[in-house]
Amino acid sequence: MRAMAARRIHHLGVAVAELAPAVATYERMLGARVEQRERVDEQGVEAVALLVGDDSRVELLAPLGADSFVGRFIERRGPGVHHVAYGVDDLEAELERLRAAGANLIDETPRPGLYGPVAFIHHDTFHGVLTELVESEES
Amino acid sequence: MRAMAARRIHHLGVAVAELAPAVATYERMLGARVEQRERVDEQGVEAVALLVGDDSRVELLAPLGADSFVGRFIERRGPGVHHVAYGVDDLEAELERLRAAGANLIDETPRPGLYGPVAFIHHDTFHGVLTELVESEES
């Protein structure tokens, strides 16, 4: 049995104005490869997950409109790192543990994500870093 | 021989106002462990590297004064992710490749870092993300 804790950085979420030039930059500059793409209309976001090396992942997030969470983030802070996601073995158990430790949970219960169930924790808990937990089979 | 490209995310650099409460948060919330600490007076920064799980790393950076690069970052944007570092096998070769690809290099040549030679690439090259390359034995 694994100790309850984050396993590793699962991905970085990076807000960009436009996907195509950003994907091209990561491919050309870092040798990254596209893993998957997804458009989520109800959240106003289009995402491209890139693999960097064998086991690191950058998720580029572009707004479908200015009044989306990514659009508002870019308007407020400019493009850049939007969130950091850590992989966990048991998301429900982690949320319970974090709640008991005083974390400010955005998602009280897991919701579906690109890789499996996810939950976000408010950036004030992590000193300015919007943090996501991802439960997935692999890393 | 490995292809020239980034191997993986080596660490995230996170700017915080104060180290002790941020270290405590990462330990308590994510089960992170302190790997090393370093104070670099000439850069006005104190750093604590934390391991998350077996192979991910978060480097917390606190300013020693308001007129340091981390102090100015926090004043401008608030605490949060300051840079993303990728591990590479051959930093000089990567810098040459990036320069040829049109990257805006902050460091034209490698300089010493916490883990080995490092070089920073301007955030405008990576669509808002200040990016570091680290050459080190391990990941």
Side-chain angles (χ1 to χ4, degrees):
Chain A
M1 203 184 81
R2 295 184 69 107
M4 290 207 338
R7 277 196 308 239
R8 61 194 299 270
I9 295 171
H10 181 276
H11 68 265
L12 290 187
V14 174
V16 298
E18 282 185 87
L19 283 174
V23 169
T25 296
Y26 278 83
E27 287 175 334
R28 192 171 71 247
M29 300 281 180
L30 299 178
R33 294 101 59 210
V34 172
E35 184 186 37
Q36 59 175 317
R37 293 174 181 265
E38 191 176 53
R39 183 183 160 120
V40 187
D41 285 289
E42 61 269 29
Q43 293 181 31
V45 67
E46 190 166 3
V48 172
L50 297 161
L51 283 172
V52 181
D54 294 330
D55 63 356
S56 288
R57 198 178 274 117
V58 172
E59 191 181 289
L60 299 174
L61 304 165
L64 295 173
D67 190 32
S68 58
F69 75 95
V70 177
R72 288 190 300 271
F73 177 88
I74 290 176
E75 192 178 302
R76 204 168 57 242
R77 306 195 44 158
V81 177
H82 177 268
H83 66 267
V84 178
Y86 296 94
V88 296
D89 290 321
D90 182 339
L91 182 53
E92 299 230 24
E94 288 293 333
L95 288 177
E96 195 168 322
R97 197 177 62 79
L98 287 174
R99 194 181 294 113
N104 184 356
L105 306 182
I106 294 174
D107 298 302
E108 292 284 335
T109 55
R111 59 187 177 81
L114 267 181
Y115 312 95
V118 302
F120 279 87
I121 298 113
H122 201 279
H123 63 73
D124 63 9
T125 294
F126 282 96
H127 306 262
V129 181
L130 176 62
T131 299
E132 180 182 9
L133 299 181
V134 180
E135 180 181 309
S136 67
E137 287 297 308
E138 40 86 64
S139 61
Chain B
M1 203 185 82
R2 296 185 67 107
M4 289 208 336
R7 277 196 309 239
R8 59 193 301 270
I9 295 171
H10 180 276
H11 69 265
L12 289 186
V14 175
V16 298
E18 283 185 87
L19 284 174
V23 169
T25 296
Y26 278 82
E27 288 176 334
R28 193 170 71 246
M29 300 283 180
L30 298 179
R33 295 101 57 211
V34 172
E35 184 186 34
Q36 59 175 320
R37 292 175 183 263
E38 191 175 52
R39 182 183 163 121
V40 187
D41 284 291
E42 61 270 30
Q43 293 182 31
V45 67
E46 190 166 1
V48 172
L50 296 161
L51 285 170
V52 180
D54 295 329
D55 62 358
S56 288
R57 199 178 274 114
V58 173
E59 191 180 289
L60 300 174
L61 304 164
L64 295 173
D67 191 31
S68 58
F69 75 93
V70 177
R72 289 191 299 271
F73 177 89
I74 291 176
E75 191 179 303
R76 203 169 58 243
R77 306 197 41 161
V81 177
H82 176 268
H83 66 267
V84 179
Y86 296 94
V88 297
D89 290 321
D90 182 338
L91 181 53
E92 300 229 24
E94 288 292 333
L95 288 177
E96 195 169 322
R97 198 176 62 79
L98 287 173
R99 193 182 295 111
N104 183 357
L105 305 182
I106 294 174
D107 299 302
E108 292 285 334
T109 54
R111 60 185 175 83
L114 266 182
Y115 311 96
V118 304
F120 279 87
I121 297 114
H122 201 280
H123 63 74
D124 63 9
T125 294
F126 283 96
H127 306 263
V129 181
L130 176 63
T131 299
E132 181 183 8
L133 299 182
V134 180
E135 179 181 310
S136 67
E137 288 297 308
E138 39 87 62
S139 59

